[in-house]
Amino acid sequence: MSPHTLAAAPAAPRDRRRRHLPASPGQYAVWAAVAVLTLAPLVPLVVTSLRSQPYYLPGGVFSIDAYRQLFADPAFREAAWNTVVFALCATALALLLGAAFAVLVARTNLPGRRRLGPALLAPLLIPPLGLIVGWESLYGPAGYLTQLWSTNLHLPAWNLTSLPGMSILGAVVTLPIAYLTCKAVLDGADGTLEDAVRACGGGTLRILRTVTLPMLRTALLDSGMLIFTLCLEVLGIPLFLGRPANIQFIASYLYDTWSSSTVPDPPIVSVGAILLLVVASVLLVIRGRLLRHAARYTSGTRATPPARPLDLGRWRIPAAVSMTGFVALTCVIPLLGLALMSSVTDLTTLVAPWHLWNAANWQDIWDDPALHRAITNSLLVAAIGSTATVALVALATVIAHHSGFRLRRTLPALLVYPRATPGIVFGVGFFWLFLIVQWPGALLRNSLWGELLALSVRNMTLAYIILAPALSRISPELAKAAAGSGASWWTTTRRITLPLLRPALLSALVLMFVTLVSDYDPVVFLTKPGTELLGTSMLQTWGKGLPGPVAAMAVVQIVLVAVALSLGLGWTLRKKGRHA
């Protein structure tokens, strides 16, 4: 057959069956869902911050009095100063330790580095309030180790309820971010430069100073901006540790103002939320611009690992011992203290703990309907919220990176923005959104589903940061081949792309479940009797001066997280065993 005959031949008949979901309307629907869920809670903040009265009260007019009142309040100015000092100190310490540990694990012959590296990620997996309560039970002013150190040994004690003390805890919580970012750079960096310095007679210190540390500048900038932004929104640390010393942060100032104000839902809280939102957004923009310029100096060649790790010499054992001690003091021992505190009437050095051992705190959880309901509600929210969020984010991620949808480039920013926004801002925003929008706001306002929505939207970023890298490893040629066979985009996504993403989908599902069980910031203004969650119940119970039941609820959180991680890990190992 001649070429002209081939050109004139009719195209192969396409499958003309009606598609279950047309590509364009379906993609628009996913994009609209992500955009509305991300941006809609932020709009009411502006409206309510510019009214003289709460939205539901008559007589409200346009006014900026709430802004004047906030900036004129000495308590707010002090809280803002404390927040900035805390964020700077915690960020600096987290970057210093995170970079040092990343270098030790990824670039040296540190003994036990394969076990110590994963151990440094423990603060990411431990519920934040549980870690805070564990620290307070041991290192607080009345903590067990503090009493042992100062009263029994008569040595000067530390002060966990001071700004430096809280900054250390903040650094421990955020250190894994710096560690992971720096380690990713070191694992993928070109090791020939280090080998060249070594060949010229340079020692370990010279290699670190001239090659290794300069490689981390972009990683330190990236993680530093993110950690600083996260520190600005911290709520649990000032509520649990700052109150005894009368130290307020912006988030705790807004929480206390909302809880104790004589005016219901004061506009000043919306103003404070707007301020946090603006600061977080500006930092996000600055981070993006700085990283864009830093990318110009990134090597495009394929990285090769170093010929051999850097030799620590006589510092190998001291470094390993110090790193092990850090993990023990910051995570392992506080968890043991938390478990002990949950099972005793009073944790004191005057009486041996086994003489005070009882199940009263656990009985309180079981007998108190609100505390018992908080556990079941958290499980329900985590199970349904993680499944629905991962499903939506998976579709949005595929649209953003494996489609020709015209608005696809906006989806990554929409998916990342919620996590860059302080959780307390989303809480206030959803409160007003449910109140202003009659439908479906009236259904969500006083129900558990409203809290589920706020938590899921706030944390959808976590699913995206797992799914996007996994999707980038799937060749687009598969989708092109399916399209050439007449398959629609939705058919290709359903039958090819999503099945290939199953391991990443499971990881995202487990991470979302763990996060939804532990998170609490976005719902502190949404919780009502009957819709209690573990995090909000712990805050309320701690405010009543009952640390024992709080410790017991924290242990429940940790057990739920451990079970979820074990199930996810077990499924992964079974899948690997089948393919082996």
Side-chain angles (χ1 to χ4, degrees):
M1 186 178 292
S2 66
H4 297 288
T5 307
L6 286 172
R14 294 184 178 181
D15 185 2
R16 297 185 180 278
R17 292 175 300 175
R18 184 180 179 184
R19 295 173 180 175
H20 181 64
L21 273 177
S24 294
Q27 291 171 349
Y28 271 111
V30 173
W31 178 88
V34 173
V36 170
L37 291 174
T38 302
L39 301 178
L42 307 180
V43 176
L45 287 175
V46 180
V47 177
T48 56
S49 69
L50 295 173
R51 286 178 59 87
S52 59
Q53 294 287 345
Y55 176 81
Y56 52 80
L57 294 181
V61 296
F62 173 82
S63 173
I64 60 172
D65 287 343
Y67 286 85
R68 296 195 186 101
Q69 180 183 353
L70 181 70
F71 289 110
D73 187 357
F76 171 76
R77 294 199 297 269
E78 183 178 359
W81 172 255
N82 292 337
T83 304
V84 172
V85 172
F86 166 81
L88 289 173
C89 295
T91 301
L93 186 57
L95 291 178
L96 177 64
L97 294 176
F101 291 153
V103 171
L104 288 173
V105 171
R107 277 296 200 252
T108 70
N109 59 349
L110 181 78
R113 58 187 180 276
R114 293 184 179 179
R115 293 185 177 87
L116 289 173
L120 291 171
L121 305 181
L124 289 179
L125 306 176
I126 301 174
L129 290 184
L131 190 61
I132 294 172
V133 174
W135 270 60
E136 201 280 337
S137 67
L138 293 178
Y139 306 129
Y144 190 84
L145 293 182
T146 305
Q147 296 179 44
L148 185 65
W149 185 265
S150 61
T151 304
N152 294 27
L153 301 180
H154 304 288
L155 296 173
W158 49 84
N159 184 8
L160 185 62
T161 60
S162 64
L163 272 177
M166 289 187 283
S167 298
I168 293 175
L169 179 54
V172 169
V173 173
T174 55
L175 180 147
I177 298 174
Y179 169 77
L180 286 174
T181 308
C182 293
K183 187 175 183 297
V185 172
L186 294 173
D187 287 340
D190 190 347
T192 56
L193 296 176
E194 295 179 357
D195 290 341
V197 176
R198 187 183 291 112
C200 296
T204 299
L205 290 179
R206 185 174 180 183
I207 294 173
L208 290 174
R209 187 179 67 255
T210 59
V211 178
T212 308
L213 294 181
M215 282 193 299
L216 297 178
R217 289 175 183 171
T218 301
L220 292 174
L221 173 64
D222 183 14
S223 57
M225 295 288 288
L226 179 57
I227 292 172
F228 185 83
T229 304
L230 293 176
C231 288
L232 293 179
E233 61 176 89
V234 166
L235 177 61
I237 291 177
L239 286 182
F240 280 74
L241 302 178
R243 275 180 172 172
N246 196 27
I247 297 177
Q248 289 270 28
F249 291 177
I250 293 179
S252 61
Y253 171 88
L254 298 179
Y255 177 83
D256 289 340
T257 301
W258 184 285
S259 304
S260 60
S261 176
T262 56
V263 179
D265 316 322
I268 191 175
V269 175
S270 295
V271 175
I274 287 288
L275 177 63
L276 280 177
L277 177 63
V278 170
V279 172
S281 301
V282 170
L283 290 175
L284 186 64
V285 171
I286 294 174
R287 174 172 171 261
R289 289 184 176 275
L290 291 176
L291 292 178
R292 182 183 64 185
H293 293 310
R296 299 177 181 176
Y297 306 100
T298 302
S299 173
T301 59
R302 180 176 178 84
T304 56
R308 61 181 185 272
L310 300 177
D311 185 17
L312 294 177
R314 58 192 178 90
W315 294 102
R316 290 179 70 245
I317 301 303
V321 171
S322 300
M323 200 166 174
T324 304
F326 176 85
V327 173
L329 289 174
T330 58
C331 294
V332 178
I333 294 177
L335 288 183
L336 294 176
L338 181 67
L340 184 62
M341 186 177 179
S342 68
S343 302
V344 298
T345 54
D346 186 25
L347 191 58
T348 175
T349 57
L350 301 178
V351 182
W354 50 86
H355 293 314
L356 302 173
W357 196 276
N358 61 56
N361 296 325
W362 296 96
Q363 191 66 40
D364 289 342
I365 293 179
W366 186 258
D367 293 338
D368 190 329
L371 300 182
H372 188 257
R373 188 167 52 242
I375 299 174
T376 57
N377 286 347
S378 292
L379 281 173
L380 184 64
V381 166
I384 299 177
S386 58
T387 303
T389 304
V390 170
L392 176 62
V393 173
L395 290 176
T397 304
V398 178
I399 292 173
H401 299 285
H402 273 204
S403 80
F405 181 57
R406 65 179 62 185
L407 298 176
R408 65 185 182 278
R409 299 184 187 278
T410 63
L411 280 172
L414 290 173
L415 291 170
V416 169
Y417 193 65
R419 195 64 187 181
T421 304
I424 199 170
V425 172
F426 262 100
V428 180
F430 270 108
F431 174 87
W432 288 116
L433 180 66
F434 295 157
L435 192 65
I436 294 174
V437 180
Q438 290 300 317
W439 193 92
L443 300 176
L444 300 173
R445 188 182 311 147
N446 297 316
S447 71
L448 191 64
W449 305 111
E451 298 178 30
L452 184 153
L453 182 63
L455 286 169
S456 299
V457 173
R458 157 72 170 152
N459 294 293
M460 66 169 57
T461 304
L462 301 178
Y464 174 73
I465 62 177
I466 290 179
L467 295 177
L471 184 63
S472 67
R473 293 191 289 269
I474 298 177
S475 173
E477 298 301 324
L478 297 174
K480 292 180 181 179
S485 301
S488 68
W489 180 88
W490 285 98
T491 301
T492 303
T493 300
R494 186 177 68 253
R495 295 186 178 181
I496 298 177
T497 308
L498 292 181
L500 292 174
L501 280 176
R502 281 176 184 169
L505 289 172
L506 176 66
S507 299
L509 189 66
V510 172
L511 180 59
M512 281 297 301
F513 183 92
V514 168
T515 303
L516 294 183
V517 165
S518 307
D519 201 7
Y520 60 95
D521 297 38
V523 295
V524 291
F525 300 125
L526 302 175
T527 301
K528 300 292 188 296
T531 66
E532 301 90 349
L533 298 177
L534 273 170
T536 54
S537 296
M538 290 169 67
L539 289 178
Q540 295 168 0
T541 306
W542 185 270
K544 298 176 184 178
L546 301 173
V550 174
M553 284 188 285
V555 171
V556 171
Q557 272 189 323
I558 294 172
V559 170
L560 293 177
V561 168
V563 170
L565 293 174
S566 299
L567 292 176
L569 181 61
W571 186 90
T572 302
L573 293 177
R574 285 197 301 270
K575 293 293 289 185
K576 288 183 177 179
R578 292 175 185 174
H579 293 291

